[in-house]
Amino acid sequence: MSPGVRELPSPNQDDRPAGAAIDTLVLHYTGMRSGAEAIARLRDPAARVSSHYVVEEDGAVLRLVPEARRAWHAGISHWRGMAALNDRSIGIEIVNPGHDWGYRPFPALQMAAVCDLCLEILARHPIPPINVVAHSDIAPDRKADPGELFDWEGLAANGVGLWPAAADAPAPAGAPAGASAAALLSAIGYRTDLPLPVLLAAFQRHWRPARVDGVADAETLARLAGLVRMLGA
Ligand SMILES: [Zn+2]
């Protein structure tokens, strides 16, 4: 553990199920007006929410729940056939007001701290790169965090998660865009029982942040295909 991590325990934790592997890393934004307000809520027994870590805008890192314990950050969630991801994930809350309170870029110091923390976590647990996810990936109908301003590409460049290479292969000509997109989203790990535009918007928030409109345009399809290629799916 980095010397810079400050312990600030939350009561909102319990045991992981017996034998549960830790194989997923979920990134969030706090979505409240201030970091202090968010941290207070993550430690309020009445709120029944928490995360393992909070990263403040100045890069300070707080630990609220030990990694071996279950924090309560993901809620109803699905990814690559898994459900109830609190059982098997580590959750990081990243201070940002979010879409409701003045969404703004994540400062460089904060992103650097997030990156370092993720690298430490990935060194401790066998978490596949495709299982480094946004809350919006695993709950696309409910959540938009950490959102399109979050620097997933920069993280991937440092070995945290995946980023598809520049589109070097267009989507298959003649394939119906809707059917093709649905199959690719499923291959990546999204649940399939939600409207396609909802799933596409979640994908775009993570992997095509310049355009989050739920439309399978050529660039979105190319990035979908590029990511699936990286998975060997
Ligand atoms: Zn969240």
Side-chain angles (χ1 to χ4, degrees):
M1 184 62 55
S2 301
V5 176
R6 186 154 68 91
E7 303 287 341
L8 201 66
S10 169
N12 300 331
Q13 55 171 289
D14 57 6
D15 289 329
R16 294 183 188 271
I22 295 174
D23 63 6
T24 309
L25 178 56
V26 183
L27 305 189
H28 304 257
Y29 65 45
T30 49
M32 298 188 76
R33 274 165 287 205
S34 73
E37 191 182 351
I39 292 161
R41 181 161 188 270
L42 292 166
R43 303 179 69 221
D44 174 2
R48 299 189 63 77
V49 293
S50 61
S51 59
H52 294 91
Y53 297 97
V54 174
V55 180
E56 301 197 76
E57 287 183 298
D58 65 359
V61 179
L62 312 175
R63 182 163 70 163
L64 277 56
V65 176
E67 292 177 6
R69 301 268 294 165
R70 179 167 60 184
W72 306 341
H73 55 96
I76 296 169
S77 48
H78 299 81
W79 189 246
R80 300 188 71 76
M82 307 177 288
L85 284 138
N86 282 342
D87 291 355
R88 57 197 307 149
S89 67
I90 290 172
I92 303 176
E93 286 279 0
I94 301 156
V95 173
N96 187 292
H99 294 88
D100 289 344
W101 302 105
Y103 191 40
R104 60 192 183 216
F106 296 82
L109 267 177
Q110 186 183 34
M111 280 308 306
V114 168
C115 187
D116 288 348
L117 177 60
C118 288
L119 287 169
E120 291 171 12
I121 292 167
L122 295 174
R124 285 193 285 269
H125 305 282
I127 297 173
I130 191 60
N131 285 0
V132 178
V133 290
H135 200 189
S136 53
D137 290 320
I138 63 174
D141 50 339
R142 299 188 299 115
K143 296 293 179 179
D145 63 306
E148 61 279 4
L149 295 179
F150 190 72
D151 187 12
W152 290 104
E153 184 175 9
L155 280 188
N158 284 285
V160 178
L162 293 176
W163 191 261
D168 53 4
S180 173
L184 293 167
L185 287 161
S186 174
I188 290 164
Y190 291 93
R191 58 189 293 184
T192 55
D193 56 344
L194 293 171
L196 186 59
V198 172
L199 299 172
L200 282 167
F203 174 82
Q204 290 171 323
R205 253 183 233 296
H206 188 153
W207 282 293
R208 203 252 197 266
R211 176 168 163 175
V212 181
D213 60 3
V215 174
D217 68 317
E219 177 69 21
T220 298
L221 284 169
R223 292 193 184 199
L224 277 164
L227 189 55
V228 170
R229 266 199 308 278
M230 292 182 86
L231 297 173

